[in-house]
Amino acid sequence: MMFMDLDNFKDINDSLGHDVGDQLLKDVAKRIGGLLRKGDTLSRIGGDEFVVVLTGLKSPDDAGQVAQKIIASVGQPYEIGPYTVSTGCSVGIAIYPDDGADATTLMRHADTAMYVAKSSGRRSYQFFSADMNLRATERVRMESGLRGALERGELQVYYQPRVDLASGTLTGTEALLRWRHPEHGLIQASNFLGIIEESGLIHSIGEWVLQQACTQAQTWQVYYGETFSISVNISVRQFNRALPARVRNALEASGLDPRVLELEITESSLGRNVEESRTILGELRKLGVRIVVDDFGTGVSSLSHLRRFNVDGIKIDASFVRGMPKNVDDRVVVKAMIEMARSLRMNTIAEGVESEDQLELLRGMGCEEYSGHLLGEPVTVEEFQRRWLSFNDKVVPLAPRCH
């Protein structure tokens, strides 16, 4: 039995309308059905969830091959009215009778495996295993803890510096979410981002991070005197028609100059629906904020799309930076990115710089800014101020915590 769930369907439904969402579900069902044999069963059990029952398989590997075909087919773009819509799916697989002797147990275990696949990066499949029940239980506990974490003051914003590669002067800082768990200590956002996205908490927590970052940046601007940018990551779930209003509210509440704020948006977010992305970016540009493409090189945005988005900069993904000293292909790719950005008058930022060798290569290629462990780990606001903003024995006060 296969249990599958579409990626970001709610966002598509909310932004493009229920008619587009309904047609997408029909098109997805048609594609899946076209890959099945006579005797296999496909059913939609609600929302954007589908179940497939495969019979007469010789081995579990056969189910894996079918899952791969389904993921590849569902992941191709859809032409629905005036829109080009992109989605994907995550698939969980349970095998009879090893993973359950009845339909209810099989479906529950396939559902558990699907959530593991989704949390592993989406557009993948997973076979059920016994330890997944423990992981599913832990996931429920984490989600329960996160639901009250903001009110309990457990969420914090850490700040990572960014500097000019030529002069070494501070040019910006990135606001990064952390969870100070009462039992497990400090947890990075990458360990719970999937949970807050799937649960819908990303909207309230993401808005809080944005407000906190803007308020802190305004405080620094008042007391530090010189302007440096503050960047905030926007997840794929946040990148919708409601984003410009949320950004406007954060700017107005903090009094921050919009030119100080940078929004980091991933290639995958921009590429889901090009026309919709252009509309959202246009509204953000009217506010005066800067747009940077995050994790550049890992998505599917073409050069023509990048030009149409009219962004201010690109952030070269750490995976390319990491491999540069020993991998000539990574060096070629990074150099090409920098030259392309320069030709389009875009700023270039290298993230994840860990060594002097990487830094020297980037300097030789003409990269403008960098961040990473070589420069400094993400730190609390107090530590960031101590390292980067103290001058002439002047003490910079903390910004008030937003609620």
Side-chain angles (χ1 to χ4, degrees):
M1 181 178 289
M2 293 181 177
F3 194 108
M4 59 194 71
D5 173 272
L6 297 185
D7 297 335
N8 309 313
F9 176 74
K10 184 178 184 302
D11 295 337
I12 295 170
N13 221 19
D14 291 346
S15 61
L16 301 182
H18 293 285
D19 289 344
V20 173
D22 290 346
Q23 186 59 50
L24 176 61
L25 291 173
K26 294 176 183 178
D27 291 349
V28 167
K30 185 175 181 180
R31 289 189 187 182
I32 296 172
L35 297 171
L36 303 181
R37 306 161 302 169
K38 186 177 181 180
D40 295 334
T41 303
L42 167 65
S43 62
R44 175 172 163 249
I45 61 172
D48 59 343
E49 296 175 333
F50 295 84
V51 169
V52 171
V53 178
L54 303 174
T55 59
L57 299 181
K58 294 180 181 180
S59 73
D61 289 342
D62 293 340
Q65 291 177 10
V66 175
Q68 285 181 323
K69 291 179 181 178
I70 289 174
I71 292 168
S73 179
V74 170
Q76 297 299 311
Y78 299 79
E79 300 297 332
I80 302 177
Y83 303 108
T84 299
V85 181
S86 296
T87 187
C89 69
S90 302
V91 181
I93 305 172
I95 304 297
Y96 172 87
D98 297 352
D99 300 326
D102 58 82
T104 300
T105 303
L106 283 171
M107 185 176 295
R108 184 174 70 251
H109 287 170
D111 184 25
T112 298
M114 184 274 295
Y115 271 103
V116 173
K118 187 176 286 285
S119 63
S120 299
R122 304 174 185 262
R123 300 200 181 200
S124 63
Y125 69 92
Q126 289 282 342
F127 286 95
F128 174 78
S129 61
D131 68 330
M132 285 183 179
N133 281 328
L134 296 176
R135 292 162 67 180
T137 300
E138 179 61 24
R139 186 186 186 282
V140 171
R141 287 176 180 169
M142 287 192 73
E143 181 178 334
S144 177
L146 282 163
R147 287 194 178 278
L150 187 57
E151 291 75 11
R152 294 190 299 269
E154 295 171 4
L155 298 183
Q156 294 178 279
V157 178
Y158 272 46
Y159 297 90
Q160 185 166 35
R162 192 177 82 213
V163 304
D164 181 84
L165 205 144
S167 67
T169 56
L170 181 70
T171 56
T173 181
E174 181 177 1
L176 298 166
L177 178 64
R178 296 290 185 266
W179 180 17
R180 191 164 291 282
H181 193 280
E183 296 178 11
H184 304 304
L186 194 67
I187 303 176
Q188 294 188 13
S190 58
N191 293 321
F192 59 85
L193 181 60
I195 296 176
I196 62 176
E197 285 188 331
E198 293 301 323
S199 65
L201 290 170
I202 186 64
H203 299 297
S204 59
I205 292 176
E207 190 167 2
W208 175 80
V209 171
L210 179 63
Q211 291 174 344
Q212 193 73 25
C214 288
T215 300
Q216 187 61 65
Q218 174 63 7
T219 301
W220 284 335
Q221 201 168 8
V222 169
Y223 284 89
Y224 185 55
E226 295 184 20
T227 300
F228 58 92
S229 65
I230 187 157
S231 59
V232 178
N233 292 284
I234 302 299
S235 82
V236 65
R237 288 293 179 101
Q238 293 173 277
F239 190 67
N240 54 42
R241 288 291 185 95
L243 179 61
R246 291 188 170 118
V247 172
R248 183 187 301 109
N249 291 339
L251 291 170
E252 291 177 351
S254 64
L256 183 66
D257 184 338
R259 294 171 296 180
V260 175
L261 178 62
E262 287 185 355
L263 302 179
E264 296 189 8
I265 303 170
T266 63
E267 274 191 275
S268 58
S269 296
L270 294 172
R272 281 191 309 153
N273 186 308
V274 174
E275 292 306 316
E276 179 79 1
S277 295
R278 290 186 67 195
T279 299
I280 297 171
L281 291 179
E283 293 179 17
L284 290 171
R285 280 204 160 279
K286 290 178 182 177
L287 297 176
V289 301
R290 289 170 52 83
I291 308 295
V292 174
V293 180
D294 195 16
D295 299 336
F296 189 75
T298 62
V300 296
S301 293
S302 67
L303 178 58
S304 61
H305 285 168
L306 193 62
R307 291 174 61 191
R308 292 171 69 190
F309 292 144
N310 191 26
V311 299
D312 296 286
I314 62 171
K315 201 168 185 183
I316 301 169
D317 188 67
S319 61
F320 296 106
V321 174
R322 192 179 304 117
M324 284 196 309
K326 295 182 179 180
N327 190 320
V328 65
D329 290 339
D330 284 337
R331 292 198 294 274
V332 170
V333 169
V334 171
K335 185 177 181 181
M337 290 179 187
I338 294 171
E339 291 177 349
M340 178 207 66
R342 186 184 299 120
S343 69
L344 295 174
R345 297 179 296 282
M346 296 176 185
N347 190 33
T348 51
I349 307 162
E351 63 178 343
V353 178
E354 300 174 343
S355 71
E356 291 289 347
D357 289 346
Q358 295 168 354
L359 191 63
E360 287 306 312
L361 286 169
L362 290 166
R363 184 176 286 115
M365 295 174 184
C367 184
E368 294 165 290
E369 300 176 54
Y370 80 101
S371 65
H373 297 325
L374 180 66
L375 184 62
E377 302 275 356
V379 293
T380 63
V381 59
E382 297 92 340
E383 183 63 15
F384 184 85
Q385 291 178 172
R386 187 185 70 79
R387 295 184 187 182
W388 294 95
L389 303 185
S390 296
F391 64 103
N392 297 330
D393 298 323
K394 186 173 182 178
V395 178
V396 182
L398 301 183
R401 182 179 173 89
C402 299
H403 298 285

